Every structure is written in C-alpha cells, then in structure tokens.
Amino acid sequence: MKRIGTVSRVAQGLAIVRAPDDEYADVGTTVVDETLETVGSVVDVFGPVDRPYLAVSPDDGVHLPGLVGAVLYAR
C-alpha cells in the first residue's frame, strides 16, 4: 500500500487529504484506511505542486468527521 496522506478536514462532503512531500495519488484512485476498509476515491488534486491536497469522495456509509486525522492509503 502507498500512503496518500492524512485527512486534514472535511469540506462540502469530501475528505481533504494533505499529500506527502514526494508523491500523490491520481484522480480515480481507490482509498483505504489503516484497516484496509475502502473509504472512497480521489476526485480532485489541487493546491501547491510540491505538496498538494487530495479531495476524496466517500463511499456510502463512511462517517466523514471520524476520518479527520486518519492516515489514508491507495489501494
């Protein structure tokens, strides 16, 4: 698994993830949490090129506020 970053906040029904310095996930990438449960998928990449943010659209049943501070991974 590749770490895509930590959820920094929730906005407009999306989990906003701060990507690590060196690389980030592409749009359409499936995202899982540390227990390998599917969280959703990346729908947008935005912000500074050297350390962008990822917008993750959650799957049905995912409790977004509970994800703040969680580390997410690309499947």
Side-chain angles (χ1 to χ4, degrees), residues 29 44 66 70:
T29 301
D44 195 12

Side-chain angles (χ1 to χ4, degrees), residues 2 12 17 20 26 31 34 36 38 43-45 47 51-53 56 62 67 70 73 75:
K2 181 175 108 176
Q12 299 177 356
V17 178
D26 293 323
V31 177
E34 58 195 19
L36 300 179
T38 301
V43 293
D44 195 12
V45 178
R51 192 164 178 219
Y53 290 93
V56 176
V62 173
L67 289 177
Y73 302 88
R75 176 169 283 180

Side-chain angles (χ1 to χ4, degrees), residues 3-4 10 18 24 30 32 47 49 55 71-72:
R3 181 177 180 266
I4 66 162
V10 174
R18 187 68 190 246
Y24 57 89
T30 300
V32 297
V49 174
V71 176
L72 299 181

